[in-house]
Amino acid sequence: SILSFAVIGTLISAVCFGVGLYLLGFVAGSYRFSLWDALKFGSLISAVDPVATISVFNALKVNKTLHFLVFGESVLNDAVAIVLYQTFSEFSHAESFNSFTPVLNFFKMFFGSAFIGFLIACLTALILKYAKLSVSPTLELSFYVLMGYLPYFICEGLGMSGIMGILASGTTLAHYAYFNLSRSSQMASHQSFRMMSYIGETFLFVYLGAALTTFRHRWHMMTVLWGIILTLLSRAANIYPLSLVLNQYREQKISYKNQFIMWFSGLRGAIAFALSLNFSSIQEETRKVVVSTTLAIVLFTVIVLGGGTMPVLRLLRVEGANESSVSSGSSRGQENGIRDRMKGPRIVNEIVNGGGESDVEQQEGSVLQQNNSLLMQIESEWLRPALIVPERRAAAQEFDSETVLENNTNSIHQSHQEMIQLNENPLQ
């Protein structure tokens, strides 16, 4: 399900937006784009960035089916959108090509980049397994971080997608190499990556605000209006038809409420705006129109859709959305930190198994199906024994289950209570 929404759904959104904007140009309903410029615009605007939505999901503890579908799609969607953008950009400057060339080029960039990232991550896991870099935590952590970014430069040098390479590398590193790190390096890497993530997101949103007042924009109001409408319509053309098809094969159906929330959570953010800044066209005015329209769409989705996520969840009474008062505010941030750390390894299982289940009983009921999965057999019988040190394999297996989250959450609550008692009775 996640792969379907991320790959097929992104392609549907890009084509619907691009073709719609191209046709509107003929009837003078918006700025007139060439077909390739419209498709490039559609591919960059199809990159969703539901950061605000995921934060609300964590706070309200929505059902796991909805959470993993939205999160898993957002993880892969950015890479797919970037590959589509690069593919359309290449052919906008090509003099001639056959009808299969864009398709072949897309699969080459997508799967080739992912394969390079996977190989480098496996090599990193092997080195950490046998080199014993834990004697120098600084060297170990530096090696881990640098190897994580290496696929980006290799893929870009080979004319592929660096983002797709680094996505595949990061997911594989979190699933295998992470467990070969020493305990201190595991904690340091987790906090370091979270810090870099926060800094990067903060910088990009500050840059968005600065761009609104400092850039020389070319505002075409009808293009902005139709761009927002086509963004919503193309998202609907992605979510609803695919959900209808996928529900024919899923044991746990995607409910209409979940489909609406998935449509509503289609925020646009940093990736879309960054791609618009690199937009190339024969006419400079076209590039300015794309940048200005993208900025308007990003601000609309973040403010209107992002700000309306919590009220919509409350209004629809989405499962789990009224249970946020169970945990205290002080422990919620720590619990979300554990969930963030688990997302890397668990998202691989969600992609392999076709999406998250809504409760523990359904997870237990699907054990036979998981064991029969060829990919899961390859992982358990070949990849984990080869890439993870023996004493950490059990921990890696447990880390993929919900049990470890509950255990760690209970430990946090217990430690929190002990800290309170120590503060109240310092002489103890």
Side-chain angles (χ1 to χ4, degrees), residues 193-207 270:
F193 284 122
R194 290 193 69 189
M195 178 196 68
M196 288 187 285
S197 174
Y198 282 130
I199 291 176
E201 289 176 4
T202 302
F203 170 78
L204 285 170
F205 278 102
V206 169
Y207 190 71

Side-chain angles (χ1 to χ4, degrees), residues 9 77 146 149 157 177 189 194 205 240 254 277 290 342 365 376 390:
N77 163 269
L146 292 175
Y149 282 99
S189 66
R194 290 193 69 189
F205 278 102
Y240 290 106
I254 304 174
L277 295 178
V290 169
M342 293 178 66
M376 294 298 293

